[in-house]
Amino acid sequence: MRAVSAGFRERVYEVVRRIPAGKVMGYGHVASALTQPGMARQVGWALAALPGDTDVPWQRVVRSSGHIAAQGAPDRAILQRALLEAEGVEFTADKVDMRRFGFGPEVFLGDPAEREA
DNA sequence: ATAATGACTGGGG
DNA sequence: ACCCCAGCCATTA
């Protein structure tokens, strides 16, 4: 058995599958959705184990900063950006504006004044 | 059982 | 705002 526990992986995939097209979620955010904050790295691990023909929209998961992750797979990183732009996600200086494209109820927990109109 | 690794994160320079 | 470093945690060696 390679990578993370099968159960954990499936939970990650379930969450990722719920991210609507045109939106992105941070690894830490996904981990929180799994009620297991602090496992951002393991979330990335689960996505890294995905096959090329998966139906999981792994491209919608980026770093909290909005930058593309995929360190060990630069080729996948390029593909990821292409897929996201095809979904309508705009990139600025190789980063995504989480304030606009970030998904998840958690993002609304912050101060309302923080939010962009 | 200990040490190294990595699709991460937050704080400090 | 960008780069570097220490902290985290399950999987591997």
Side-chain angles (χ1 to χ4, degrees):
Chain A
M1 143 174 105
R2 188 173 49 189
V4 198
S5 304
F8 182 78
R9 278 193 314 242
E10 291 190 30
R11 271 177 263 173
V12 171
Y13 303 155
E14 188 57 41
V15 172
V16 176
R17 265 191 271 257
R18 292 179 192 176
I19 305 175
K23 291 278 183 173
V24 297
M25 222 170 146
Y27 292 87
H29 253 168
V30 174
S32 293
L34 295 173
T35 68
Q36 306 189 62
M39 291 183 80
R41 278 187 118 127
Q42 283 69 345
V43 170
W45 221 306
L47 294 180
L50 283 169
D53 58 10
T54 183
D55 59 326
V56 178
W58 55 273
Q59 68 270 20
R60 291 172 199 157
V61 183
V62 298
R63 288 198 185 181
S64 62
S65 58
H67 200 287
I68 297 295
Q71 285 191 311
D75 37 324
R76 295 284 189 316
I78 298 171
L79 171 63
Q80 177 168 16
R81 173 166 177 167
L83 289 170
L84 287 175
E85 290 185 307
E87 293 181 355
V89 176
E90 299 170 33
F91 277 75
T92 304
D94 297 325
K95 296 168 225 142
V96 176
D97 185 340
M98 297 303 279
R99 200 58 74 172
R100 279 180 53 192
F101 303 102
F103 173 71
E106 303 80 16
V107 298
F108 301 133
L109 294 179
D111 187 310
E114 279 288 314
R115 296 212 59 219
E116 201 173 3

